[in-house]
Amino acid sequence: MRNAEEIIRQLKAKGTAERAEHAQRYFKTGKGEYAEGDVFWGVVVPEQRQIATKYGKSLALEDVLSLLKHEVHEVRLTAIFIMVRLFERGDAATKTVVYNAYLNHTDYINNWDLVDSSAHKIVGAHLLHQNDASILYKLAESSLLWGQRIAIIATLAFIHMGELDHTYDLALKLIGHPHDLMHKAVGWMLREAGKKDLERLRTFLYAHSQNMPRTMLRYAIEKFPENERKHILHVVSKVHG
């Protein structure tokens, strides 16, 4: 537990009030916003990674999870960095334990940066090895925004291996999601899928773009030729008036 306490002490010492104030605005911690009440010390990510590397090597998973439950955002993100390291350097049994611990603590993986730093590296990587992604569809149906984001971001592990079906299936499932954070996440994963097979993305978008939130579509077509991006957006604009 000593290293966990040292991680907290180091993080608190690295923070600044100015950066904390900026982070609270950036991560939408105000009343009614998606991260309402989240607390920041104002520690930059490179410093969090350094602390995770220095003190996380010999940290037991139980202690990492205690950090993940901490009220301060940077402590939770540092715990996520350590969990990713434990997973990537662990044997098969360790990977399974970390994966299960991750899914059992999604209530604390409660902002987009925590999800985006880990979902594909732990959940996606484990499911890819297990050749079973059924849990992603359950997560996508969760009432928890962050569970839904974990589901789509985890498919990045499959995309990297050229396996695109889950990304497109989940994109269809989530296409009508009301939250902007999911529009961005789905659009981003579609764009990544397009790097592997642009024609498949093009076919998908011409079939479904008129039903997509504009932010999702903009993210998805970011790498398209400019004239095609304008054409798609023009067509969608005409449909939606």
Side-chain angles (χ1 to χ4, degrees), residues 34-53:
Y34 62 75
E36 180 178 349
D38 203 355
V39 179
F40 287 79
W41 281 335
V43 189
V44 296
V45 169
E47 289 178 337
Q48 292 175 63
R49 289 190 180 278
Q50 289 174 4
I51 291 169
T53 299

Side-chain angles (χ1 to χ4, degrees), residues 3 51-60 82 85-86 89:
N3 277 1
I51 291 169
T53 299
K54 182 174 181 179
Y55 295 99
K57 294 177 181 177
S58 58
L59 209 59
I82 297 171
R85 179 187 176 92
L86 287 173
R89 301 194 175 197

Side-chain angles (χ1 to χ4, degrees), residues 15-191:
T16 71
E18 182 180 0
R19 288 200 300 260
E21 184 179 352
H22 171 76
Q24 286 169 335
R25 291 195 304 270
Y26 182 70
F27 286 100
K28 308 296 184 185
T29 65
K31 186 172 179 59
E33 294 181 311
Y34 62 75
E36 180 178 349
D38 203 355
V39 179
F40 287 79
W41 281 335
V43 189
V44 296
V45 169
E47 289 178 337
Q48 292 175 63
R49 289 190 180 278
Q50 289 174 4
I51 291 169
T53 299
K54 182 174 181 179
Y55 295 99
K57 294 177 181 177
S58 58
L59 209 59
L61 181 58
E62 180 182 356
D63 293 335
V64 181
L65 294 176
S66 74
L67 295 175
L68 187 61
K69 297 174 184 177
H70 200 277
E71 66 170 351
V72 174
H73 186 100
E74 291 96 337
V75 179
R76 297 197 305 280
L77 183 55
T78 301
I80 286 292
F81 293 150
I82 297 171
M83 288 185 77
V84 169
R85 179 187 176 92
L86 287 173
F87 181 90
E88 292 180 340
R89 301 194 175 197
D91 57 18
T94 299
K95 290 180 188 296
T96 298
V97 169
V98 174
Y99 163 81
N100 287 328
Y102 184 95
L103 288 186
N104 287 333
H105 291 81
T106 52
D107 285 353
Y108 303 98
I109 307 169
N110 56 355
N111 214 314
W112 59 263
D113 58 330
L114 279 76
V115 173
D116 296 358
S117 299
S118 58
H120 58 299
K121 294 180 178 180
I122 295 177
V123 178
H126 182 77
L127 297 177
L128 183 65
H129 180 72
Q130 297 296 316
N131 196 29
D132 178 9
S134 58
I135 187 66
L136 297 184
Y137 297 87
K138 294 178 182 177
L139 286 168
E141 294 174 356
S142 164
S143 60
L144 184 67
L145 172 64
W146 308 115
Q148 295 165 347
R149 188 165 174 119
I150 287 168
I152 190 66
I153 299 299
T155 69
L156 186 57
F158 291 84
I159 292 171
H160 287 161
M161 299 303 295
E163 298 183 24
L164 310 180
D165 289 352
H166 297 305
T167 301
Y168 285 107
D169 290 345
L170 286 167
L172 275 179
K173 182 180 285 290
L174 296 166
I175 199 167
H177 198 284
H179 205 292
D180 182 67
L181 282 175
M182 290 304 298
H183 303 169
K184 293 176 180 178
V186 174
W188 172 25
M189 289 303 103
L190 289 173
R191 185 177 73 231

